[in-house]
Structure formats: structure tokens, C-alpha cells
Amino acid sequence: MIEIFSLSHFLIIIFFIILPIFLVRFKLSYKVLIFLLLFLEVLRLEVNLDHFEINEDLSLQLCFIYPFIGVLSVFFKSSLFRDYLGSFGWFFGVVGIVFSNPNPLFSFSTLHLYFYHSLMILISFLILKNKITTSFLPLFIVLIIQIFFTFMGNFIIGNGCNYMFLNTFLFPYDKAVYKVNIDVLSMHVFGSLSYLDILDKIYACLGGVYYVFLISLFSTIIYIVYIASLKIGTKKP
């Protein structure tokens, strides 16, 4: 058992983040890697087929939607989808690696998550070797469309459905046990308080303004990621 955010966990995180940074030096085609990523997602669905649950196994996480947008980038000449992959893929990959539960480490699901998110970072960096040409707003709209349909999916499916962890952040006061959640958020950081408890208290203090705060924070983070991607894209390989 690896304790979350222990030294062993940090070493695992560092390895899977550094791996794509090392591989980006080689002449690899992001288009080929997109189909490898799609294969990994189909493989995940295949492995889970015998015990498939609609409220946790669909491809409705941002990271699992990523290869499908990648396929669109291959078959459509517009730079919109390609720039989306480049601008946000490395961020989604890093977040996925940092917040993935490392237990049990040598299980298919755990290793799949780590290699999958590491491959996302690699694809993103390969795309960023060329300058991003799409402005922030169209890329942000692509992201919002995904979030909207996933939110509707959570609502329609119900039964503990929490894709993209949307219910965790949108309804922090709801103590429902979700089929999919971020384990780290349950860690106690201030005595008996967990991150989820803190989120609940912020909502209690702000009321409806909480959603203005949440949307503003999310938009700001995504914009900073976009600016960072522009900076990465202007650097010579």
C-alpha cells in the first residue's frame, strides 16, 4: 500500500511526468500517438466490459474524451482541435497523474491511468513544438461543451454518477457517495477537516456567490494554462 503523497507516491508522479518530457526529443508523430491513446481507451472499456457500470465506466472524463477530439484533429484541417489538444492536454495529463490513486500500483487500472496520462502530456508537447494559432475563446468553448454534456450525463444517469467530478465541486454540501471521485479530496488537512469539508464551508459562507467564485477560478486556471502553452510553443525545440 502506497500512502498518498508519500515519498514513493511523489517519485511515481515525477517519473510519469518526466517520461514524456524525455520522449518529446524524438521525432514522433502526434497523430500516430492519438490512435495509440484511443487504443488504450478502447482497451480500458474492453477490460471493464464484464463488470461495466454506466455510472463510472463511460468515456465521459475530460481525459477519456481527449483521444476522440484527437481523431477529429486528424481528419479535419481546422487547427481548432489540434490546438485544443496542445493547449490543455499537458495540464489534464499532469492533473491526472498527480491525483490518481497509486493503489494497487501494479494493477491494470492504475498502470493504465499513469501511462495514459503520460501519453497525453507527450501528445500535447509534440503539438506545442508548433505555435498555437487558435485564440483562447474557441478552445474554451470546446472545453465547456464537453463539460455541459457530461453534466447532463451525470444528471440523466444519476445513481452516484460523477463524471469529471462535477458534482463534487458543484454540490459540495451533498454528502452522497459517488461512484467516481478524487480520493485526495477526502484527506484530512486541518485536523478533522478534509478538502471536501473545506469546500463545503466555502459554499456555506458564500451561498450562491460560490458558483461565481468557482466559475471565475476555473476560467482563470484554464486561461493561465493556455498562456503557458503559448509560451511553450514559442520555445525552440
Side-chain angles (χ1 to χ4, degrees), residues 73-87:
S73 77
V74 172
F75 291 105
F76 288 90
K77 292 183 178 180
S78 171
S79 62
L80 174 64
F81 298 120
R82 178 187 64 85
D83 287 351
Y84 172 88
L85 300 175
S87 297

Side-chain angles (χ1 to χ4, degrees), residues 110-160:
T110 303
L111 288 177
H112 175 277
L113 278 175
Y114 280 124
F115 280 107
Y116 184 96
H117 288 94
S118 190
L119 185 55
M120 285 181 64
I121 298 173
L122 176 58
I123 290 170
S124 178
F125 281 167
L126 287 171
I127 293 172
L128 290 178
K129 283 185 174 183
N130 298 308
K131 189 176 181 180
I132 297 297
T133 59
T134 308
S135 62
F136 173 73
L137 185 58
L139 301 179
F140 189 64
I141 290 173
V142 172
L143 177 59
I144 293 301
I145 289 172
Q146 295 173 72
I147 293 174
F148 172 77
F149 280 105
T150 298
F151 174 79
M152 294 303 298
N154 286 338
F155 178 77
I156 294 170
I157 297 170
N159 193 27

Side-chain angles (χ1 to χ4, degrees), residues 58-123:
L58 291 175
S59 302
L60 286 179
Q61 301 285 27
L62 277 175
C63 297
F64 295 150
I65 297 173
Y66 190 83
F68 297 100
I69 294 180
V71 172
L72 293 177
S73 77
V74 172
F75 291 105
F76 288 90
K77 292 183 178 180
S78 171
S79 62
L80 174 64
F81 298 120
R82 178 187 64 85
D83 287 351
Y84 172 88
L85 300 175
S87 297
F88 304 133
W90 64 268
F91 176 69
F92 296 155
V94 169
V95 171
I97 290 170
V98 170
F99 290 107
S100 289
N101 190 327
N103 299 296
L105 180 58
F106 295 105
S107 67
F108 169 81
S109 59
T110 303
L111 288 177
H112 175 277
L113 278 175
Y114 280 124
F115 280 107
Y116 184 96
H117 288 94
S118 190
L119 185 55
M120 285 181 64
I121 298 173
L122 176 58
I123 290 170

Side-chain angles (χ1 to χ4, degrees), residues 166-175 195-215:
L166 290 176
N167 292 339
T168 299
F169 293 100
L170 292 175
F171 313 113
Y173 52 84
D174 190 348
K175 302 304 180 183
Y195 290 107
L196 289 174
D197 294 328
I198 295 171
L199 204 61
D200 189 9
K201 289 185 178 299
I202 293 174
Y203 176 82
C205 291
L206 298 179
V209 180
Y210 168 81
Y211 294 105
V212 177
F213 163 76
L214 194 67
I215 293 170

